Amino acid sequence: MGVLNDVYEMLNTCNKCGFCLTACKTYKTDLREPLSPRGRIQLIKKLVDGVIEPDQDYEDAINSCLLCGECAVACPSGVKGNELVLAARRDLKLRHGIKPFAKSFALKTLASPSRLEHGFNFFKGVGKGLLKRIDGLDYFRGVDIRNMPAAEKPFLEQVPEQITVGDPQKKVAFFVGCFLNHSLDGTAHSVVKVLTKNNCDVIIPKDQVCCGLPQYAYGDFESAKANARKTIESFLDRKPDAVLTACASCGSMLRDEYLKLFADEPGYLPRVKEFCAKVFEFSEFVEDQIKLDESKLKAHTPVKVTYHDPCHMARHLKITSQPRQVLKSIPRLQFVEMNEANRCCGASGLVQAFYHQLSTDITRQKTQNIVDSGAEVVATSCPACMLRIQGGLNFAGKQQTVVHVADLLAKAYED
């Protein structure tokens, strides 16, 4: 109970006003009190007080949270419901490990580069072949798995460890992340292209691993710490001016959560702080550090583009203006805002796999907002959001395509 005792004061700070209900997408979709931030907080408090035991209903309430952070923004008392859920998940992990087995297996696979590569190799080989033969498996738990891209070989195997330019202004270490490495390798190439076109030497450490966010989100701090330590040492050893990621979720973990993860290791914390201070998200780095020379950008084919704010970008990293400025800098690209641009798309890591109907309903609203905007293309800054939203659009029979901000910018540098 130590984990939950540490947050007991925050549990008691909730005055049950209900402001969080207006923001919470799981509650607005399901309309059951236990799936609201207020409901989850009261369940956690009752567990600490010994009123209830952590039964299946309790675990479902805790594990179905999107961790989007909208409740924390809405709360007038400053209660961070997402952080309380993280504490509850940590408590569950300490009680009985990660359950069910499928979730534990998935998290262990993500944490291991070799296991993850084997998984993607199976998917793009035997897996996709089987899917094409089985009717009704176009969408599995709301994910468009038949059309989910898989790189012919991991991005890390396609590029050298260092890419140099003639007159380097900055030395940037690129944290690729799991999805860009194994699925959306074209976007990873777009990131490198933009950096080199802007006089940056690019270092791509071949020994990089998962940032640790999936494990951290389900209370496996030990596995998350192991990967975090590897990441910190690998990247700092190369002495970059900046560590760049093109994944909002990875960026949040690398820059913010590492500080929380190692808060109990004061001897190592200075090393962590040194690393975190170097971390930038792609559009943030491009807009604030590079300062684009727009005269070098070539005109796109005229296209109307909207932008989806990933939860980790808008509410965790608090980066919202930079991706829009990057998009607006591209000639002949017409930018339009969609309604509720920062509304969660429903991906939220493994929530989409284990609470797929809830996720699908949330994705459906995001899809409708995109359609209503009149945009032909949806840009975003998170690979998981890209795959989730594209699947939602495909499932709805819509024609819009989803791309990364880096893809659109890289295209403007085409010779």
Side-chain angles (χ1 to χ4, degrees):
M1 280 294 191
V3 175
L4 297 183
N5 285 333
D6 290 343
V7 298
Y8 195 71
E9 183 177 346
M10 187 183 291
L11 289 170
N12 281 316
T13 303
C14 173
N15 61 22
K16 310 181 188 69
C17 68
F19 274 88
C20 59
L21 274 62
T22 66
C24 179
K25 299 304 177 283
T26 58
Y27 174 75
K28 292 177 79 171
T29 300
D30 188 271
L31 296 178
R32 284 187 293 154
E33 181 74 11
L35 296 195
S36 72
R38 181 176 66 183
R40 291 184 175 108
I41 289 169
Q42 294 311 306
L43 286 172
I44 298 168
K45 186 174 184 301
K46 286 181 179 180
L47 182 71
V48 180
D49 291 340
V51 178
I52 65 171
E53 291 296 320
D55 59 10
Q56 190 60 53
D57 288 340
Y58 172 85
E59 295 200 21
D60 284 340
I62 299 304
N63 288 324
S64 61
C65 176
L66 301 168
L67 297 178
C68 67
E70 288 204 46
C71 59
V73 175
C75 181
S77 301
V79 177
K80 297 179 179 179
N82 52 317
E83 293 188 4
L84 292 173
V85 166
L86 278 173
R89 289 184 182 180
R90 173 62 173 166
D91 173 69
L92 288 173
K93 195 273 179 185
L94 293 174
R95 286 173 182 267
H96 54 52
I98 306 293
K99 290 171 39 179
F101 171 77
K103 183 181 290 182
S104 174
F105 180 81
L107 293 174
K108 288 177 181 176
T109 298
L110 288 167
S112 166
S114 60
R115 290 176 66 167
L116 188 59
E117 184 169 355
H118 289 320
F120 268 95
N121 285 339
F122 175 82
F123 171 71
K124 70 188 178 189
V126 177
K128 280 212 168 186
L130 287 173
L131 289 173
K132 291 177 181 177
R133 294 183 176 88
I134 302 174
D135 291 335
L137 270 187
D138 300 60
Y139 296 87
F140 178 71
R141 293 183 172 265
V143 180
D144 184 4
I145 49 178
R146 281 193 183 179
N147 292 312
M148 181 176 168
E152 284 300 313
K153 62 178 180 179
F155 172 76
L156 291 175
E157 295 179 15
Q158 299 177 32
V159 292
E161 183 155 297
Q162 183 154 349
I163 300 170
T164 57
V165 296
D167 183 25
Q169 303 300 306
K170 291 182 183 293
K171 179 179 172 184
V172 180
F174 180 21
F175 182 87
V176 179
C178 302
F179 272 127
L180 294 192
N181 189 32
H182 292 287
S183 180
L184 300 167
D185 56 319
T187 296
H189 283 291
S190 293
V191 170
V192 172
K193 182 176 184 178
V194 171
L195 290 174
T196 55
K197 288 289 185 180
N198 285 277
N199 300 317
C200 294
D201 279 351
V202 184
I203 304 166
I204 309 170
K206 296 300 183 76
D207 59 349
Q208 58 183 280
V209 295
C210 173
C211 67
L213 178 59
Q215 298 76 31
Y216 177 74
Y218 285 96
D220 185 0
F221 289 7
E222 294 75 19
S223 295
K225 265 191 174 183
N227 274 19
R229 206 180 300 271
K230 289 177 186 175
T231 300
I232 291 166
E233 296 308 321
S234 173
F235 278 75
L236 286 185
D237 282 351
R238 286 157 169 94
K239 297 179 171 54
D241 299 316
V243 174
L244 183 136
T245 178
C247 173
S249 299
C250 292
S252 175
M253 185 66 182
L254 297 173
R255 189 155 83 191
D256 294 341
E257 304 306 324
Y258 277 11
L259 294 170
K260 300 173 187 175
L261 190 60
F262 287 99
D264 62 345
E265 293 190 35
Y268 190 61
L269 204 52
R271 186 78 165 161
V272 180
K273 290 180 178 178
E274 180 187 359
F275 172 82
C276 294
K278 292 178 179 286
V279 175
F280 291 88
E281 184 277 328
F282 172 80
S283 61
E284 174 192 34
F285 184 77
V286 166
E287 188 64 22
D288 297 345
Q289 301 296 313
I290 290 177
K291 302 193 183 302
L292 286 176
D293 182 351
E294 295 182 21
S295 67
K296 295 181 179 179
L297 301 178
K298 296 180 175 63
H300 265 250
T301 301
V303 63
K304 186 180 289 187
V305 178
T306 192
Y307 179 74
H308 160 72
D309 291 281
C311 297
H312 282 107
M313 280 276 280
R315 284 175 288 280
H316 294 255
L317 292 172
K318 294 180 171 52
I319 299 171
T320 56
S321 64
Q322 292 93 327
R324 288 169 170 80
Q325 287 304 120
V326 171
L327 293 172
K328 290 174 182 178
S329 72
I330 300 172
R332 297 178 74 186
L333 185 152
Q334 181 186 354
F335 179 76
V336 294
E337 282 285 358
M338 75 169 91
N339 184 40
E340 295 184 308
N342 66 0
R343 180 190 181 97
C344 181
C345 70
S348 188
L350 295 180
V351 171
Q352 63 185 320
F354 291 93
Y355 300 94
H356 62 279
Q357 190 55 58
L358 189 66
S359 291
T360 298
D361 291 343
I362 293 169
T363 304
R364 189 178 295 115
Q365 183 59 58
K366 171 60 70 173
T367 301
Q368 189 59 53
N369 289 345
I370 290 166
V371 173
D372 291 345
S373 75
E376 304 157 79
V377 173
V378 186
T380 189
S381 305
C382 176
C385 293
M386 289 172 66
L387 295 170
R388 182 74 196 182
I389 295 171
Q390 188 66 72
L393 289 164
N394 294 348
F395 185 72
K398 306 302 179 182
Q399 301 303 311
Q400 287 86 353
T401 56
V402 185
V403 299
H404 197 284
V405 172
D407 294 319
L408 291 172
L409 185 55
K411 189 177 179 181
Y413 282 107
E414 287 182 359
D415 300 325

